[in-house]
Structure formats: structure tokens, C-alpha cells
Amino acid sequence: DPNEDTEWNDILRHFGILPPKEKPKDEEMVLHLQKEAEKPYERMNLEELKEAEDDFDEADRKAIEMYRQQRLQEWKCLQRRQTYGELREICGEQYVKEVTSAPEDVWVIIHLYRSSIPMCLLVNEHLSLLARKFPQVKFLKAIANSCIQNYHDRCLPTILVYKTGEIKGRFIGVAECGGIYLKAEELEWKLAEVGATETNLEENPKKDIMNTMTLSAGNISAYEDTNTKSSDVMKPDIT
């Protein structure tokens, strides 16, 4: 039966030996209704919408305006993705424009650094990776003294996270930034906790290391406690 729904018939249809299987009537009806329900402006770009605006009634104009705003936001997001996607260098004179006056819906991450500090170079390397991973976030770096005069080296690296012109998070110094063995995933987690990135990581990558350190500290404490008790037992009774 050529109309029977079997794997063999599907193979024959694939090679053109059998004609295509007819679609059920109800499926054809659904497709027809969907096509009728589709508004012509849903296939238009922003320029076409503007030109055809007078051809629609009042209800359609309201829908068009909403649709135009949606397309405009999509266009802005696309432009932003094309604008960001890398770790850019700025100087102190650009700080207000690039950081505090950035668009309100944009997260800005700026790293104040000094190239002679190895940890700063490591952070720059990780931020470059994250900038490509999260192109909707603006990643910047700047020589610390170009932004804050006489900024002390012990405060470097410094990572500041901005949104709507306000600082939403800060990591100052080697320890707060994650230590000299910092990994990109750990930095990603830190930024996600602030809200700057939407990570796919399910838990803190440094959790295992922290647990190991806690366990080691516990073992040392237990050993010292046991050793103390053993010493107490071996002490001669002087009373």
C-alpha cells in the first residue's frame, strides 16, 4: 500500500519512487489558518514598515508600532553584539563616556591593571576569553594610574562591575580577584554572582578546591587535637 506509513515507504518517497505523502486535511487547515493569521507587516523590515504605515488601519498601526519597537530592540542587540565581543583598552579620559555613561541596559566590566603585575596579565587573558563568550557585555581595561592617580599596587588587579552608571560589584586585590591560580571559569562565576553574565556553570568551579582546603585544614586540626591528647596521656602524673 503506497499510502501506508512504513519505513520502507518513507525510503521510497525519499528517492522519488513513491509520490509525497498527502498531508491530513486537519493539518492543511491548521497551516491555512496560520497563513491567514500572519500579518503582512510581520515579514517587513523597519524601512518597509515605515513606507507601508498608511496602508493599515488603526488596530494594525498599534500592532505595527509594537512590532517596530520589538524589531528596533533586536537591531540594537545585534549592533551591540557587533560592537562588543572583545576586551578593549581605554584611558582615564574615556572613563565617563565608556563606563558610567554606557547605555542603561549594558553591563560594563572594567579592569584597572598594571602590566608589570603578573596577576593583572592573567586577569586580562581571562577577560578576553569572557568578552568573546559574552559579547553583550562591555569588557574594558585601563592602566590604573590613568584613571586613579597614585593607585596603590596592592589594590591590583581591580575589577569593577557597572550597570546604569553605578558600581554593582568590585574585586580589589589578588585575593578578591581569585588568587594567583585563578581560572577563567572561576572569574566567570564571580561575574555571574554579581549579575553581569548569565553563566551555564551549575556551581562554583572553586568549590572543590575550597572543600579540599577545608578538609585538609580539618585533618590538620584533628591530627593536632589527637596529638595533644596523646601527649597528655604520656605526661607523667606529678600529683
Side-chain angles (χ1 to χ4, degrees), residues 20-35:
K21 186 179 177 182
E22 291 186 3
K23 293 182 179 179
K25 295 293 182 181
D26 56 346
E27 187 177 341
E28 289 181 358
M29 181 61 71
V30 169
L31 292 174
H32 177 70
L33 291 173
Q34 286 178 342
K35 189 172 182 180

Side-chain angles (χ1 to χ4, degrees), residues 215-229:
L215 181 61
S216 299
N219 288 339
I220 293 171
S221 178
Y223 172 77
E224 288 176 344
D225 186 51
T226 303
N227 196 38
T228 301
K229 289 180 180 178

Side-chain angles (χ1 to χ4, degrees), residues 100-112:
T100 57
S101 296
E104 291 190 353
D105 60 338
V106 175
W107 284 92
V108 181
I109 296 165
I110 181 163
H111 173 212
L112 304 182

Side-chain angles (χ1 to χ4, degrees), residues 1-22:
D1 183 1
N3 293 318
E4 191 175 359
D5 192 11
T6 65
E7 186 177 351
W8 176 247
N9 281 351
D10 287 341
I11 294 173
L12 294 178
R13 290 189 192 97
H14 177 73
F15 287 101
I17 298 172
L18 288 179
K21 186 179 177 182
E22 291 186 3

